[in-house]
Amino acid sequence: MLDSATIAAISTPPGQGGLGVIRISGPEAAGIGAAIFRSATGRPLRLTPERSHRVFYGRIVDPVDERLIDEVLLTWLASPHSYTTEDTVEISCHGGRLPLQETLRVVMAAGARHAEPGEFTLRAFLNGRLDLAQAEAVLDVISARTAEGLQLALGDLRGDITRRLAPARNAIVSLLAYLDAAADFPDDEIPSTDVDADLSVAHAALEAVIEGSRAGQLIRDGAQVALVGRPNVGKSSLLNALLRSERAIVTPVAGTTRDIVTESAHIDGLPVTLLDTAGITETEDLVEQLGIERSRRALASSAAALLVLDGATAPTDADREIARLIAERLPESHSGNTGVAIVVNKSDLPEQADQSAVVDIVPGAPIVRLSCHTGDGLPELERAIGQLLRSDLATHAQPALLNARQHWAIERALEHLELAGATRTAGLPIDLMATDVRAALHAIGEVTGEAVDDAVLAEIFSRFCIGK
Ligand SMILES: Nc1nc2c(ncn2[C@@H]2O[C@H](COP(=O)(O)OP(=O)(O)OP(=O)(O)O)[C@@H](O)[C@H]2O)c(=O)[nH]1
Ligand SMILES: [Mg+2]
């Protein structure tokens, strides 16, 4: 699927900006650059390998009539030291629609064709500069939403996923060598690679990556946190305080929030979706009842919940009812993590009531006293939310960013290894294992790119933007 055409595209986003960049990659890149570029000195542009990685100042013109198009900087990257490994010219234009479109037009007229989405990265992959996992990490780098997510994506761009799969791959290859030899020379004494050891090394390495991907998913996609409590305790005020903006309506009237308000925030380095819910209480009001039903559902679908209490009033039946609803979650969560924090709000008010009658219903949940009005206690709550979300993860697994396709491929590799193990335990002929072990190797190859077909590649790279 690699063709030898020289491709070009505008690599910066549409709209106006300080700069806009046009990227040209392929064997004709230097010739096209020279055809449309006029240097300030009047000397012709010579883009030779010796002059790679230099920047030239000058003008882009339409070579047909020498009409001026833009004043630019042109960067020259000779093969193989470029993103695609091909000869590459990057033209930094003024960042407006016309300078870019006109420059692209003369680039096309000089012999380039429009790049497909992701085609530069596809070429980097096909030319062996990036493996497939690295190429896909480019998307994660571009779309990272938090500093931590960016670090992970950059790690993957430098080959982390493939490195982490290497122990599994090596064990499987050595196992296969043994199985093939055993099939070919059934009577020979073959120095026994320990089949079980190889299987378990491979299994453990793949499991670790899958475990790590739960952490990675949290860092990349974040988690949903529901704010629940009876009317008027300050759920909407807390949402606003966490967002540092007046997003939700706050009034002294109980039953203010009737539908769920959903907002994204960054809390303790994680992308978090906050759900402000309607206060839960027994009510005759139909609209309010519907809102309450939604609150219950929001609670069920969230990774963590904040039970908000009004520290200035004594616990009510409604508080206890909600606490019980929340406590139902407890047995489901892993590793001693309750998935719930209790927020005792309105700590600025002089009269504070004893909340133990509610708190005791949710044993083990961290309790944070705070005031949405003064902001006291907010940093503590943010840390507590971060801990709630993170502690649900396997403690040691190093985070990994896997997309759905990669995740699925590794799961499949694991399944095949388990089948291979079962074949062995059942005492079936040893060469029967080889089919599954080979399939496991193939599944790993789908992540690193050694075993993907063109249709899959086309699908993967179509998710990229043009010019990347
Ligand atoms: N003194 C004090 N008042 C607060 C605090 N937080 C919220 N309030 C007040 O409590 C009242 C209710 O606040 P809301 O945020 O609307 O409460 P809610 O839980 O969203 O209420 P519903 O939407 O009706 O369920 C408002 O008058 C707020 O100003 C606080 O920290 N201190
Ligand atoms: Mg509200």
Side-chain angles (χ1 to χ4, degrees), residues 234 237-238 240-242 244 246 344-350 352 368-380:
S237 305
L238 181 57
N240 292 345
L242 288 169
R244 290 169 179 75
E246 298 306 309
V344 183
N345 187 27
K346 310 197 185 181
S347 64
D348 56 293
L349 293 176
Q352 293 288 312
V368 182
R369 294 190 164 273
L370 59 73
S371 163
C372 293
H373 280 190
T374 65
D376 276 351
L378 209 54
E380 286 78 3

Side-chain angles (χ1 to χ4, degrees), residues 235-236 249 256-257 276-277:
K235 298 177 295 298
S236 300
I249 298 171
T256 302
T257 307
D276 176 24
T277 64

Side-chain angles (χ1 to χ4, degrees), residues 120-132:
F120 293 97
T121 309
L122 173 65
R123 288 188 172 198
F125 165 67
L126 292 173
N127 290 326
R129 198 179 88 78
L130 302 174
D131 67 34
L132 188 58

Side-chain angles (χ1 to χ4, degrees), residues 270-358:
L270 298 174
V272 172
T273 305
L274 293 169
L275 299 187
D276 176 24
T277 64
I280 301 179
T281 177
E282 293 304 322
T283 173
E284 303 287 315
D285 182 311
L286 181 63
V287 179
E288 230 181 309
Q289 268 176 12
L290 289 174
I292 291 167
E293 188 43 42
R294 289 194 180 183
S295 304
R296 289 179 201 267
R297 279 208 299 263
L299 190 57
S301 68
S302 294
L306 304 182
L307 169 58
V308 187
L309 304 174
D310 179 345
T313 59
T316 67
D317 286 346
D319 286 324
R320 279 189 288 270
E321 189 56 40
I322 298 159
R324 271 183 224 111
L325 197 65
I326 284 185
E328 287 170 14
R329 296 166 52 90
L330 297 185
E332 291 168 31
S333 37
H334 324 254
S335 60
N337 173 27
T338 56
V340 182
I342 298 175
V343 179
V344 183
N345 187 27
K346 310 197 185 181
S347 64
D348 56 293
L349 293 176
E351 305 280 315
Q352 293 288 312
D354 178 12
Q355 302 293 329
S356 50
V358 208

Side-chain angles (χ1 to χ4, degrees), residues 16 23 25 27 78 98 105 115 169 173 179 208 217-218 258 272 282 286 289 296 340 375 377 382 388 409 416 437 467:
Q16 297 189 356
R23 179 145 63 176
S25 175
L98 273 173
R105 183 180 64 75
R169 200 181 172 283
V173 168
L179 294 176
Q217 207 172 18
L218 174 66
R258 299 225 161 175
V272 172
E282 293 304 322
L286 181 63
Q289 268 176 12
R296 289 179 201 267
V340 182
E382 291 178 326
L388 281 187
H416 283 295
V437 176

